[in-house]
Amino acid sequence: MRKVDRIVILTGAGISAESGLGTFRDEGGLWAQHRIEDVATPEAFVRNPDLVHQFYNARRAQAADAGSNAAHVALARLQSEFPGDVILVTQNVDGLHEMAGAAAIHMHGELSRALCATCEHRWDAPLSMETGATCPACAAPTARPDIVWFGEMPYHLDQIVEALQTCDLFAAIGTSGQVYPAAGFVEEARMAGAATIELNLRDSDMSHAFEDHITGLASVTVPKWVDQVLAGR
Ligand code: APR
C-alpha cells in the first residue's frame, strides 16, 4: 500500500446518530418528518420563514444538548497524532467534531452560525432565531440560518477539491452518498490515485466506488480504523 501522507475524511449524519441526532434518510429520519421543499430550500424560507426557523431552532437545541461520541473523538485523535495531513470535511451542521477537539470544514454550514441574506455577514446564532431578526452589521431584517440549502452552493469546495486531488487515502463515514457534490468526492479521490474506504452501518449509494468497507456502528468501527491508520496498517 502506498505511503499515506494526506488523508481526507468525509462525514455524514451517521457519525452523529449515536449522539442522538437524527439522520436524514434512515427509518423515521428528518426527511420522513419534514418535506425538504418546506424547510430546506431558499424558496421555503421566502414562503414560510417561521416554519424554517422552527425546523432549525429544534435541531440547534438538540445539537446543543448532544455530546460527541467515540467516533468524533477518534477522528480528533487521528488529526492530532497522524504525522501527515488529516483534512476532515463534514456535511453535518452540528458542532460535535469541534466538541471532540477536531477541526472540520463545514461544507453545508453550521447550526451555530447565522448569515445575513443582505450583506452576507456571519455571526454566532442565538439558540432560537426568529423571522425578521436584524443583522448586527447592516441592520437589515434578513438574518437566516447559516445552512447551505438545496439549490445553494456548498461552502469551501475549492479547498475540498484541492485536498481530494492530492490525498493518498479517502474515507467516507456515515453518509448515504445520495447528495452531490459530496457523493462524488470518492471518484475525485480515486482519480488522484488515493485508496478509498467506506465506514457505514450498511451499503450506501456509493459503496460500489470504494475499494474497502468496514460495516458497523461508527462508535465501534471508527476508533478501530483510526488505530489501524496510526499503526501504519
Ligand atoms: N454508524 C455508521 N453509519 C450510520 C449510523 C451509525 N451509527 N447510523 C446511520 N448510519 C449511516 C446510514 O447507513 C446512512 O448511510 O449514515 C448514513 C446517513 O445518511 P443520510 O441520512 O442520508 O445523511 P447524509 O448522508 O449525511 O446526508 C447528506 O443530505 O439532506 C442533506 O444536507 C443534508 O448533509 C445532509 C446530506
Side-chain angles (χ1 to χ4, degrees):
M1 177 168 155
R2 84 188 235 187
K3 188 169 174 316
V4 178
D5 292 319
R6 169 167 282 192
I7 305 173
V8 174
I9 299 167
L10 171 70
T11 60
I15 200 169
S16 296
E18 292 164 86
S19 294
L21 298 185
T23 62
F24 294 95
R25 297 172 181 84
D26 289 322
E27 183 74 26
L30 284 166
W31 297 148
Q33 302 162 42
H34 307 271
R35 286 170 6 113
I36 288 174
E37 53 272 31
D38 289 344
V39 294
T41 66
E43 297 76 14
F45 192 60
V46 171
R47 188 170 58 246
N48 189 344
D50 289 351
L51 179 64
V52 173
H53 277 308
Q54 194 182 346
F55 175 65
Y56 286 101
N57 289 344
R59 292 180 63 198
R60 193 174 298 111
Q62 209 194 16
D65 284 346
S68 51
N69 64 56
H72 299 107
V73 171
L75 294 186
R77 177 160 59 91
L78 182 64
Q79 268 188 336
S80 67
E81 294 178 14
F82 184 70
D85 296 331
V86 179
I87 296 149
L88 174 55
V89 180
T90 188
Q91 300 170 94
N92 299 341
V93 293
D94 62 58
L96 297 184
H97 283 304
E98 290 78 5
M99 187 183 286
I105 298 172
H106 284 268
M107 64 181 289
H108 290 166
E110 295 177 82
L111 283 168
S112 63
R113 300 287 281 169
L115 168 66
C116 176
T118 303
C119 73
E120 298 201 346
H121 175 65
R122 285 176 170 81
W123 66 99
D124 288 342
L127 197 56
S128 180
M129 291 188 75
E130 55 192 38
T131 303
T134 55
C135 168
C138 76
T142 51
R144 55 167 276 187
D146 188 14
I147 298 287
V148 177
W149 285 327
F150 284 89
E152 295 184 322
M153 182 62 77
Y155 295 158
H156 312 299
L157 285 183
D158 291 349
Q159 180 188 2
I160 294 167
V161 170
E162 193 276 330
L164 290 165
Q165 289 172 340
T166 56
C167 74
D168 313 292
L169 174 59
F170 174 72
I173 302 172
T175 180
S176 61
Q178 295 189 35
V179 176
Y180 285 81
F185 288 175
V186 59
E187 297 299 352
E188 196 76 52
R190 275 176 49 164
M191 283 190 292
T196 56
I197 185 166
E198 181 179 55
L199 291 85
N200 200 309
L201 206 48
R202 60 182 72 86
D203 270 1
S204 76
D205 280 25
M206 292 309 290
S207 290
H208 63 276
F210 287 85
E211 290 160 326
D212 286 325
H213 303 81
I214 301 178
T215 302
L217 291 168
S219 65
V220 174
T221 61
V222 176
K224 283 189 189 146
W225 174 68
V226 165
D227 288 343
Q228 285 169 10
V229 172
L230 289 175
R233 291 198 303 270

